[in-house]
Amino acid sequence: MKTGFQNLSPAIEPIRWDSGTLYLLDQRELPQREVWLEIRTLPPFLDAVKSLAVRGAPLLGIAAGYGVAVGMFSSDAKTESELRGTFKTVREQIAGTRPTARNLFDSLERMERVVEKFASQGREKLLYELLGEAKEIHRAEVDNCLAIAEHGAPLFSNTKRIITHCNTGVLATGGIGTAFGVIHAVHFLFGLENVWVDETRPLLQGARLTAWELGKLGIPHRIVCDSTCASLISRGLVDCAITGADRIAANGDTANKIGTFTLAVACKHFGIPFYIAAPTSTFDLTKKSGAEIPIENRDEREVKGFRDYIWAPENSRAENPAFDVTPAELITAIITEKGVIEKPGAKPIVF
Ligand code: MRU
């Protein structure tokens, strides 16, 4: 795929396969340390996904492809029925890690089709094809980011101040990013005065990861507490908002990191545009509306503290839904690699 933004390159490559080993940049350690996980068996892979060492919907899709490869390469399955049985177990374990990001399941379905086609042709052939499919998923998501930037950037020619939520850059996608890729392209083309970076409670993907990526690329930015958004917008300091997505239903309702809905409501209240940028691998057209999207609930300790430090009273309980659903009517447009869906709530989405 050719786009006008081939010159934009991401700050780092967070995932790669080399000689039978999956290398993952451990995002739990950023921005203080760049630590690489070397993964050769399934249990550490599952742990890396659950604990957010690797995260972000498109990157979870890429990781799921390589995770299947890790699980199959590290097994001693030989016969067709052993290969099929091992794949089933690997698929179930990966599917049980994080329920909301559609890309993870999209990749597992792709890998399953490879098993259907090649399991009868022996272990070597199947492993070769599975690794090829994982690499193809990876390559496609990198391309998707460039195409999203190409479709999205022209919408922002008069934009100088953008607010974003969570992390949607290379650390979440493997490419230049979805919402982040648009921001990068807009800065490259038109020059941005400021990107407001929601810190993104409770795991600080904005303050730790988005700020780190923007800093590496020299894009001007300020971190704000998530709860600042309405005040910033009311003071005329924000032209528009753009975020990524974890799963988009057929009516355009969009699940994304907790706090996205709040930001979209504030944008609607003050009459500024709210955009989503996501590849079509994030859409789940089997879900009629956002009410059908599974929302991950995570450990309450993530809300009660950070890393090993707990600041909340031991006996106070906390709730930790990792995502919320923004109704389509609050979304100005969804930018995909195939084009821009204006007013996504107006009619059902088809590709
Ligand atoms: O819990 P995370 O960090 O995996 O959540 C990530 C997000 O919510 C991102 O905004 C979303 O996956 C889009 S990534 C391009």
Side-chain angles (χ1 to χ4, degrees):
M1 188 183 297
K2 281 269 172 281
T3 80
F5 296 122
Q6 303 294 346
N7 290 337
L8 300 185
S9 50
I12 202 162
E13 192 185 18
I15 186 166
R16 82 192 140 82
W17 177 276
D18 191 3
S19 313
T21 301
L22 178 61
Y23 293 86
L24 295 176
L25 178 62
D26 187 345
Q27 298 189 29
R28 297 167 299 189
E29 300 286 342
L30 290 172
Q32 283 80 16
R33 299 191 308 146
E34 287 180 25
V35 176
W36 289 88
L37 303 173
E38 296 183 17
I39 297 198
R40 295 182 191 85
T41 57
L42 198 57
F45 174 81
L46 299 171
D47 180 58
V49 174
K50 285 182 197 155
S51 64
L52 274 62
V54 57
R55 47 149 296 282
L59 197 71
L60 286 170
I62 297 167
Y66 288 127
V68 168
V70 164
M72 296 300 287
F73 272 78
S74 60
S75 85
D76 52 13
K78 285 186 193 59
T79 65
E80 179 176 350
S81 85
E82 286 169 351
L83 289 164
R84 285 180 184 278
T86 302
F87 172 75
K88 191 165 175 282
T89 310
V90 168
R91 185 197 60 202
E92 275 164 14
Q93 291 190 75
I94 296 176
T97 53
R98 299 199 70 195
T100 305
R102 168 61 196 158
N103 303 64
L104 185 142
F105 299 91
D106 190 60
S107 292
L108 292 177
E109 287 161 20
R110 285 181 62 158
M111 300 304 271
E112 182 160 24
R113 289 195 283 275
V114 174
V115 173
E116 287 306 317
K117 197 162 167 197
F118 295 104
S120 60
Q121 296 184 33
R123 177 183 166 89
E124 294 314 312
K125 174 69 174 166
L126 179 62
L127 295 188
Y128 175 82
E129 295 293 340
L130 283 171
L131 184 57
E133 186 71 354
K135 288 182 174 172
E136 175 53 26
I137 292 167
H138 190 170
R139 191 201 58 73
E141 290 299 3
V142 171
D143 279 355
N144 286 343
C145 290
L146 288 167
I148 287 170
E150 186 161 63
H151 289 299
L155 303 173
F156 299 81
S157 55
N158 295 317
T159 298
K160 292 289 168 205
R161 294 114 11 118
I162 297 184
I163 190 164
T164 191
H165 192 74
C166 198
N167 171 264
T168 61
V170 67
L171 297 172
T173 65
I176 63 167
T178 53
F180 191 101
V182 173
I183 291 170
H184 191 172
V186 171
H187 183 63
F188 176 76
L189 289 176
F190 312 116
L192 286 169
E193 279 169 19
N194 188 38
V195 180
W196 296 107
V197 179
D198 276 356
E199 64 178 351
T200 315
R201 280 285 293 143
L203 289 173
L204 306 173
Q205 288 92 330
R208 293 187 302 111
L209 309 177
T210 302
W212 183 75
E213 288 195 42
L214 288 166
K216 281 206 171 236
L217 297 170
I219 300 176
H221 62 280
R222 296 261 187 98
I223 301 165
V224 283
C225 299
D226 296 355
S227 41
T228 312
C229 68
S231 159
L232 282 179
I233 299 168
S234 75
R235 289 156 60 205
L237 298 174
V238 188
D239 300 321
C240 69
I242 182 166
T243 76
D246 278 80
R247 196 184 289 234
I248 302 174
N251 71 345
D253 290 354
T254 295
N256 192 51
K257 177 55 56 191
I258 191 78
T260 305
F261 185 15
T262 315
L263 176 59
V265 168
C267 289
K268 186 75 166 184
H269 184 78
F270 293 107
I272 69 166
F274 175 85
Y275 295 96
I276 295 284
T280 50
S281 49
T282 301
F283 286 70
D284 182 354
L285 302 184
T286 70
K287 304 279 183 282
K288 285 201 277 301
S289 78
E292 296 178 26
I293 297 176
I295 299 295
E296 176 183 10
N297 266 301
R298 295 183 60 83
D299 195 307
E300 65 175 1
R301 279 174 301 184
E302 292 178 347
V303 174
K304 292 172 69 173
F306 186 65
R307 293 185 176 144
D308 293 333
Y309 186 76
I310 300 294
W311 53 67
E314 201 182 324
N315 294 331
S316 296
R317 301 301 311 273
E319 283 294 318
N320 189 13
F323 302 96
D324 56 28
V325 175
T326 299
E329 73 220 42
L330 300 184
I331 302 170
T332 308
I334 303 178
I335 305 159
T336 79
E337 80 278 16
K338 295 192 172 162
V340 177
I341 304 168
E342 305 275 358
K343 296 197 182 107
K347 54 181 183 326
I349 295 167
V350 278
F351 292 112

